[in-house]
Amino acid sequence: MAIKYVPEPFRIKVVEPLRMLTQEEREEKIAKANYNLFNLKGEDCYIDLLTDSGTNAMSQEQWAGVMRGDEAYAGASSYFKLMEAGKDIFGFGYIQPVHQGRAAEKVVFPLLLSEGKFAISNMFFDTTRAHVILSGARPIDCVVEEAKDPSKRAPFKGNMDVAKMEEVIKEKGPENIGLVVMTITNNSAGGQPVSMKNLREVSALAKKYGIPMCIDAARYAENAHFIKRDEPEYKDVSIKDIVREMFSYGELFTMSAKKDTIVNMGGLLGVKDADSPLVLKIKANCISYEGFFTYGGLSGRDMEALAIGLYEGIDENYLRYRIGQMEYLAARLDDAGIAYQSPVGGHGVFVDAAAMFPHIPYNEFPGQVLCVELYKEAGIRTCDIGSYMLGNDPDTGEQLKADFEFSRLAIPRRVYTQAHLDIMADALIAIKERAHTIKRGYKITWEPPILRHFQASLAPIE
C-alpha cells in the first residue's frame, strides 16, 4: 500500500471506554432496532460512523472556553467573540448563531422559497432537501456527470454542472428559482470538493439571472484543503485566504458548525451585506424559532467553543491529518478491490454498495444492506446515502432512484486511530468475501412522510 498514515498533530489526554458486543448480541440489537441504525443505542456501537456531525473531540482550549462561556440572555461576550471570529474568517457583514445547520435552513429558506419556486444545487443533502420541500419549493440537483461514476477518478467531483444549471433556469424561468445552493464539500456526492473555478462560475451565472447564491458550508475547511492541494494557483495560498475567497462568491451561507468547526453543537447563518433587508427578517425568525438573536439557541459555552473551533478547523497540519485518514482507509480498500466514490472525499469514505451487491436492486436498498452487515460484522454503525435516504417523490409518492447507492463511513474528527481504520477495512473485506450469499435487501414496513431514514422500520426480504 503506497499511502502512509498521517500522524496525529495532537496527543490524547482523555479516553472513553468502549463496549464490545458479540456478533450474536449485535444481530439481536439490530433486529430489535428494526434494521434502522438510528434506532441503536450509541453504547451498543463499537465504532460509530453514523455521522461526523457533532461527534468530534474538542480540544483543551475549547474545553477551557466552555468554562469561560458567558450565559447572559442578550449581548453575551461569547456572542461577540463568535461574531468577530466569523467575520474575520468568512468576511460577512452579519452572522447569526443557531443551534445547528438545519436551524439555519429553517430560519432563512422560507424567506426565499415558497410554493411554485425551485432551488438548484450541486447536490442537496437530506435535511437541506427536506427544508426546501417544507418551504413549498422543489429541489433540483445539477452535480457534474463524472460524480455519478464512483470508479472514475477525477478532481472536484462535487462541482455544479454549470451548463445544466443554466438549462434549468431557462426551463423553469429565472423568476421561479428562489435560490442556488452550493454544498461544500458535496456530501451526497461522496464528500467530494468543489473547485474555486466552479464557485466563481456558478456565482457569475446566478448573478446574471438575479438569483441569490447560498453556500451550504458545513465542510468549508476540508473543501479549502482540496482547493489548495488540487488547484495549482492556490498551492501557496493560506487556508484562511482560500476560505475568504470561497465565501466571497455567495450572498449568504448556512452552516452546521458540528462538522469543520469541531464542536458538538452549533450552527451559523451569514449574510454578506449587513444592511440587507434579509437581516431583520432573519432576526425575527430566529427569535421565533431559536431564541434571541444574540444566542440563537446556543448556550454561551457553546458559542465560546465554536469561536475557538473556527480557527482550529482551518489549521493546515490538522487538515492534512484529517484528509490523510480518509486516504489511508481508501488505500486499504483499493488493495482489496472494494469500490468507493473515488478519489476519496473529505469527511468519510463512501463505499459503493451497488458494486458490492450488484444483484440487489435500488428499491431493496443495497446501501442499507451494507450498513447492517457492517454492524453485524464488527459493531460499526454507518449510514445509507442512497435510495433509502432519498425517499419518495413528494408529489407522486413513488420511490426515487438515487444516483448512488453508498454506505457512508463518516469519520468523526480527532476521535479514531489507525487501528480503528484497519478494523473498518477488515470488516469491509470480510463482507465482500461473503457478499454473494446475501441474496435480498430490505423492505420498509413503516415510514414517516419526510426524512424517513431517521425513523423508518425495515424488515429483511425473504
Side-chain angles (χ1 to χ4, degrees):
M1 186 174 71
I3 297 291
K4 290 186 177 181
Y5 186 83
V6 177
E8 289 81 358
F10 55 83
R11 57 187 174 194
I12 297 167
K13 255 185 176 177
V14 178
V15 297
E16 176 188 355
L18 296 175
R19 186 179 180 198
M20 302 176 74
L21 303 179
T22 65
Q23 184 164 351
E24 184 180 358
E25 288 172 325
R26 294 194 296 270
E27 289 179 355
E28 181 182 341
K29 296 286 184 186
I30 194 63
K32 285 184 177 178
N34 295 312
Y35 299 94
N36 185 334
L37 284 296
F38 285 92
N39 288 338
L40 292 169
K41 291 182 179 179
E43 66 184 22
D44 292 334
C45 303
Y46 173 54
I47 298 175
D48 199 344
L49 310 180
L50 187 66
T51 180
D52 63 316
S53 178
T55 55
N56 310 294
M58 292 203 300
S59 70
Q60 62 182 5
E61 296 304 319
Q62 287 175 298
W63 281 110
V66 166
M67 299 304 295
R68 291 192 297 266
D70 179 358
E71 304 302 338
Y73 183 90
S77 61
S78 299
Y79 164 77
F80 292 107
K81 287 179 186 175
L82 178 56
M83 294 307 97
E84 289 171 11
K87 290 177 181 179
D88 177 41
I89 292 171
F90 306 121
F92 270 44
Y94 180 74
I95 293 175
Q96 174 65 60
V98 289
H99 83 273
Q100 60 181 21
R102 69 191 65 178
E105 295 161 1
K106 180 182 179 182
V107 165
V108 75
F109 279 12
L111 302 176
L112 299 165
L113 299 171
S114 58
E115 191 170 343
K117 296 279 188 179
F118 298 87
I120 301 173
S121 179
N122 53 336
M123 209 159 202
F124 288 102
F125 196 57
D126 56 356
T127 54
T128 315
R129 183 181 301 276
H131 278 108
V132 170
I133 294 170
L134 288 168
S135 74
R138 292 293 177 261
I140 300 174
D141 292 330
C142 293
V143 71
V144 290
E145 285 300 311
E146 53 263 41
K148 298 175 184 179
D149 181 357
S151 65
K152 183 175 183 178
R153 291 184 178 268
F156 301 111
K157 289 171 79 172
N159 280 353
M160 178 84 82
D161 184 330
V162 180
K164 183 178 178 182
M165 173 184 161
E166 186 160 29
E167 286 175 12
V168 171
I169 292 171
K170 290 179 178 178
E171 176 193 341
K172 303 297 184 184
E175 70 280 6
N176 295 318
I177 309 297
L179 197 60
V180 171
V181 179
M182 287 298 284
T183 311
I184 57 172
T185 56
N186 191 331
N187 191 358
S188 290
Q192 294 294 305
V194 175
S195 71
M196 193 74 83
K197 180 176 181 290
N198 191 246
L199 282 167
R200 197 178 299 124
E201 291 172 348
V202 171
S203 175
L205 186 59
K207 282 184 172 66
K208 174 182 173 181
Y209 290 101
I211 303 167
M213 178 169 140
C214 176
I215 297 174
D216 180 351
R219 299 174 180 88
Y220 69 98
E222 291 169 7
N223 201 93
H225 170 88
F226 286 112
I227 288 174
K228 183 177 178 69
R229 191 189 72 181
D230 295 335
E231 282 189 269
E233 61 267 40
Y234 291 95
K235 68 182 180 67
D236 296 321
V237 181
S238 72
I239 293 292
K240 183 178 175 183
D241 286 344
I242 292 171
V243 169
R244 269 281 187 132
E245 183 177 345
M246 284 163 49
F247 279 73
S248 74
Y249 297 119
E251 281 72 55
L252 62 154
F253 75 82
T254 57
M255 178 188 293
S256 169
K258 297 164 68 178
K259 283 87 168 175
D260 269 0
T261 48
I262 328 181
V263 292
N264 306 124
M265 185 56 67
L268 297 174
L269 168 56
V271 181
K272 183 183 289 180
D273 179 7
D275 297 321
S276 167
L278 199 60
V279 171
L280 287 177
K281 295 176 182 178
I282 285 170
K283 286 182 177 180
N285 273 3
C286 185
I287 291 169
S288 297
Y289 302 140
E290 287 286 289
F292 191 63
F293 66 84
T294 64
Y295 75 92
L298 291 175
S299 64
R301 53 185 172 268
D302 289 326
M303 290 191 287
E304 197 81 37
L306 177 47
I308 295 165
L310 281 168
Y311 288 102
E312 292 186 355
I314 59 174
D315 177 81
E316 294 189 23
N317 289 326
Y318 156 75
L319 285 167
R320 195 175 301 112
Y321 146 78
R322 168 71 177 160
I323 305 304
Q325 281 197 312
M326 313 308 149
E327 291 172 336
Y328 174 83
L329 178 55
R332 284 221 49 200
L333 301 189
D334 285 335
D335 289 347
I338 294 174
Y340 59 90
Q341 177 65 293
S342 60
V344 72
H347 66 284
V349 176
F350 289 61
V351 180
D352 187 350
M356 181 82 77
F357 304 109
H359 53 285
I360 296 179
Y362 77 94
N363 56 358
E364 293 183 14
F365 315 127
Q368 185 70 4
V369 172
L370 182 52
C371 291
V372 171
E373 293 304 315
L374 274 165
Y375 181 72
K376 289 179 181 178
E377 181 70 31
I380 300 170
R381 177 160 65 167
T382 54
C383 180
D384 168 280
I385 307 291
S387 297
Y388 171 58
M389 186 190 77
L390 188 60
N392 301 318
D393 186 289
D395 298 313
T396 67
E398 293 294 317
Q399 170 65 53
L400 295 168
K401 185 179 188 299
D403 289 323
F404 321 99
E405 301 295 341
F406 290 141
S407 297
R408 182 186 71 175
L409 281 65
I411 312 296
R413 293 160 184 81
R414 303 190 295 209
V415 171
Y416 292 117
T417 66
Q418 181 178 359
H420 290 115
L421 297 179
D422 284 329
I423 289 171
M424 299 171 204
D426 291 343
L428 285 164
I429 291 167
I431 294 167
K432 183 190 177 190
E433 290 173 353
R434 58 179 173 80
H436 64 282
T437 68
I438 302 167
K439 304 295 186 184
R440 301 293 302 273
Y442 290 89
K443 62 183 177 181
I444 294 175
T445 59
W446 175 83
E447 61 182 319
I450 200 162
L451 291 172
R452 72 179 183 192
H453 57 292
F454 288 117
Q455 298 185 74
S457 298
L458 301 99
I461 298 173
E462 301 298 337

